[in-house]
Amino acid sequence: MISAEKIPNNVELSSNKRLMRALEHWQPKYLQWWRDMGPQGFQDYHQVYVRTATSVDPEGWAHFEFVRLPEYRWGIFLAEPRPDRRIGFGDLFGRPVWQEVPGEFRNQLRRLIVTQGDTEPASVEQQRWLGQRCPSLYDLRNLFQVNVEEGRHLWAMVYLLHSYFGRDGRDEAEELLERQSGNRDKPRILAAFNQPIENWLDFFMFTMFTDRDGKSQLMSLSESSLDPLSRTTRFMLTEEAHHMFVGETGVARILERTCELMREAGFSEDVRRVGGIDIPTIQKHLNQWFSLSLDLHGGEVSSNAASYFANGLKGRAKEETFDDHLVKEAVYHLEFIEDGRPVTRDVLMRNAMNEVLRDWYVGDCSAGVERWNRILEQHEIPVRLRLPDRKFNRHIGMYAGLHFDPEGRPVAADEWERRKSEWLPTPGDSAYLLSLMAQPVYERGKFANYIAPPRRGINQQPIDFEYVRTEA
Ligand code: BYC
């Protein structure tokens, strides 16, 4: 039996019988999915120090407790409504926002919500083996925090599907548990969510770059005229921040340790010989996850994006900071490749909305990479990490099928084949990383050799706190 105690919420769940019935039907399937596809080996005999959102105010979503993962209280929260909120962009600019789904936009909205929803369980599936390769109890706890919150984000989208899309919504909610990351017959919708996340460098790069796509997409959905979608995604953004913290500080700690090992080993030594992760391997993983996450923003020229904008379904990140919210005539200068050469052409800005969001995303990523480079600087190591050009390694949009090096120079197919091992992780790199992670570190306060400890613990606990307890 579902209760407000079990499902913390601010949507008056207990008085919404229809939603209760729908969730009562869906919840057991979700729990079965969590057992089958969630963190492997950490379901029954471990208690994890996690944060559970119990309300939307700052105290309410910073509630920490030890829980067994399947007993986590996945809640349903919408950010507080903004009084007299109006449509902020597109052809319907200035009219009141919608509390129900307009019939003419039903399919488009459903598609956006399903695409968003699909990424959440996908990421849990991708990360399900990492607990058995973890560098410390602190990191193990952070992994599970990210996992339970992605689970909650799935609940958030399922809440919208059940509440506003009737029978179709219920069917879609079931299918969200049926597709599986990497499954040949029933894959997840977006490509990056079918890639394996085998090791912790993948995980930290994923939470840095792919979760940041989550941030940019959620920011643009939070502008939506469908008020419940806007409010749901606004609250999700508060949780997304921690995921990016895990990614950014995870890579920073690896870099820190790499620098120390380089210093100890004499700078010319190969850091792999002393069990560290060398900077070229870090750069290759950065290239991989950044380019996959660029693809997640869709094609450069997209009539879908134009229509989402015109209809007020999906805006730009921080729409209020733009002057022109109708964007009827404005154009965007886009770099096309014609006969192997770059040619700049104007396209209608509405058709380039994916690119506008990608610009925001690239700026946000680049600030993060600058912060990483400060670590190299402090250790007086002259190399720098860098974002590859946005044409590099693309599989979606107008650069797909062409080849570019990380500087964005066109390269022929044979050169790409010959040199891609310089730019992207190879099976040899993966095997090396897996060998480093073969022995998980479960001892309090201990860290694997390839990563530095964090500056501080979680929720003011010490670094050697027992963040994950094993039951006898
Ligand atoms: N992979 O017009 P186009 C997150 C398809 S991450 C495969 O260019 P559109 C999270 C597209 O579906 C954020 N297929 O694209 C992070 C279309 O198919 P059809 C997730 C792709 O529609 C970490 C065709 O290509 N949220 O939250 O403008 C952990 C032409 O498409 C891909 C969202 O994505 C791809 N990468 O934009 C956990 C927000 N890209 O129509 C969670 C909702 C495109 O030919 N989604 N295609 O069959 C959207 O806003 C849009 O669907 C997209 C694509 C931005 C993804």
Side-chain angles (χ1 to χ4, degrees):
M1 181 66 186
I2 277 180
S3 67
E5 163 61 22
K6 280 206 172 138
I7 305 181
N9 69 88
N10 68 349
V11 295
E12 291 176 23
L13 187 57
S14 54
S15 59
N16 187 340
K17 293 280 171 284
R18 202 168 59 86
L19 180 59
M20 287 272 266
R21 267 202 306 280
L23 286 178
E24 266 167 9
H25 190 69
W26 186 80
Q27 189 198 37
K29 295 185 183 177
Y30 170 81
L31 286 175
Q32 191 58 48
W33 165 82
W34 177 268
R35 282 188 176 278
D36 295 344
M37 298 305 292
Q40 297 297 298
F42 293 90
Q43 298 279 346
D44 293 313
Y45 305 109
H46 295 84
Q47 296 209 12
V48 186
Y49 185 67
V50 282
R51 181 179 73 176
T52 306
T54 55
S55 73
V56 291
D57 51 58
E59 291 97 73
W61 69 268
H63 174 81
F64 284 83
E65 61 192 346
F66 275 97
V67 293
R68 287 193 202 96
L69 292 177
E71 291 165 14
Y72 185 78
R73 293 182 298 144
W74 283 283
I76 302 174
F77 291 105
L78 277 62
E80 289 301 328
R82 295 192 171 143
D84 192 34
R85 185 170 167 251
R86 303 265 154 178
I87 295 178
F89 60 92
D91 294 343
L92 306 171
F93 179 77
R95 300 203 196 156
V97 292
W98 318 313
Q99 299 306 328
E100 292 293 333
V101 175
E104 63 272 39
F105 304 138
R106 192 181 162 89
N107 286 345
Q108 284 187 318
L109 279 165
R110 192 182 66 201
R111 182 186 159 125
L112 283 171
I113 293 168
V114 166
T115 308
Q116 177 65 48
D118 192 68
T119 62
E120 316 291 359
S123 67
V124 176
E125 292 167 358
Q126 286 170 293
Q127 296 161 15
R128 69 186 188 279
W129 295 105
L130 291 178
Q132 305 192 8
R133 300 168 194 160
C134 75
S136 72
L137 284 185
Y138 166 89
D139 291 290
L140 187 62
R141 175 260 166 227
N142 282 351
L143 166 72
F144 295 151
Q145 181 73 56
V146 169
N147 290 163
V148 290
E149 285 176 354
E150 300 302 7
R152 206 201 68 74
H153 290 181
L154 169 63
W155 274 80
M157 292 300 112
V158 164
Y159 159 74
L160 293 174
L161 289 169
H162 276 156
S163 301
Y164 298 97
F165 293 88
R167 211 204 142 84
D168 298 354
R170 289 200 297 279
D171 291 347
E172 293 282 13
E174 309 251 311
E175 284 176 36
L176 285 170
L177 298 175
E178 286 163 15
R179 285 184 290 271
Q180 273 180 15
S181 176
N183 185 301
R184 205 184 296 185
D185 301 323
K186 280 201 153 204
R188 290 296 173 182
I189 297 170
L190 299 174
F193 293 90
N194 288 306
Q195 290 288 318
I197 299 181
E198 290 187 334
N199 63 65
W200 280 73
L201 184 54
D202 279 332
F203 172 65
F204 292 138
M205 290 295 181
F206 178 93
T207 37
M208 172 75 177
F209 292 112
T210 309
D211 273 277
R212 199 171 301 272
D213 168 57
K215 177 179 168 188
S216 60
Q217 299 295 338
L218 291 174
M219 282 172 87
S220 67
L221 290 175
S222 71
E223 302 289 339
S224 181
S225 312
L226 179 61
D227 205 39
L229 173 60
S230 162
R231 292 174 54 203
T232 310
T233 46
R234 244 194 298 142
F235 185 67
M236 287 161 76
L237 277 164
T238 58
E239 292 160 324
E240 207 64 67
H242 175 69
H243 304 188
M244 286 177 298
F245 161 86
V246 169
E248 184 171 330
T249 57
V251 173
R253 288 162 50 217
I254 290 181
L255 272 176
E256 186 76 45
R257 184 66 185 140
T258 297
C259 292
E260 279 170 22
L261 287 169
M262 280 170 85
R263 184 182 296 271
E264 283 166 21
F267 288 111
S268 57
E269 279 290 324
D270 175 3
V271 82
R272 283 196 186 189
R273 287 174 52 184
V274 284
I277 304 181
D278 48 298
I279 293 170
T281 300
I282 297 174
Q283 178 68 58
K284 286 196 234 178
H285 284 75
L286 182 165
N287 291 349
Q288 159 103 332
W289 286 104
F290 176 67
S291 55
L292 281 167
S293 307
L294 287 178
D295 275 345
L296 288 175
H297 290 75
E300 287 72 14
V301 183
S302 163
S303 56
N304 287 340
S307 164
Y308 295 152
F309 187 86
N311 296 337
L313 311 184
K314 187 181 174 198
R316 292 166 290 188
K318 302 198 171 159
E319 184 62 47
E320 78 283 359
T321 60
F322 293 85
D323 294 329
D324 173 11
H325 300 295
L326 303 185
V327 199
K328 279 206 160 139
E329 329 242 283
V331 291
Y332 186 96
H333 312 301
L334 199 58
E335 189 181 324
F336 288 80
I337 302 292
E338 290 177 6
D339 298 328
R341 285 170 205 287
V343 184
T344 302
R345 294 202 186 288
D346 287 350
V347 295
L348 278 178
M349 180 85 81
R350 279 192 177 187
N351 285 308
M353 283 302 173
N354 286 342
E355 197 60 7
V356 173
L357 194 57
R358 195 161 15 236
D359 286 338
W360 181 89
Y361 172 77
V362 172
D364 210 44
C365 290
S366 131
V369 173
E370 282 314 305
R371 290 190 290 273
W372 287 341
N373 279 334
R374 270 184 235 141
I375 300 171
L376 294 167
E377 214 174 303
Q378 279 156 10
H379 285 267
E380 294 171 10
I381 291 183
V383 266
R384 294 288 173 267
L385 294 172
R386 50 202 298 201
L387 293 178
D389 185 88
R390 63 173 88 184
K391 297 190 285 304
F392 171 79
N393 193 38
R394 295 290 303 280
H395 296 93
I396 295 285
M398 65 193 192
Y399 306 120
L402 302 170
H403 298 299
F404 299 88
D405 69 9
E407 276 71 46
R409 287 181 296 249
V411 292
D414 57 340
E415 186 179 355
W416 171 263
E417 280 309 315
R418 215 173 45 246
R419 298 191 60 195
K420 70 176 185 208
S421 61
E422 292 170 33
W423 303 324
L424 291 168
T426 63
D429 296 328
S430 303
Y432 174 68
L433 292 176
L434 281 178
S435 75
L436 283 186
M437 298 171 197
Q439 290 298 327
V441 180
Y442 296 140
E443 226 176 302
R444 282 172 64 163
K446 288 263 174 342
F447 289 82
N449 178 52
Y450 62 85
I451 190 164
R455 293 244 158 81
R456 57 186 74 85
I458 294 292
N459 193 33
Q460 295 170 359
Q461 299 292 353
I463 291 172
D464 65 358
F465 185 68
E466 192 172 15
Y467 288 103
V468 181
R469 290 182 191 152
T470 308
E471 290 173 16

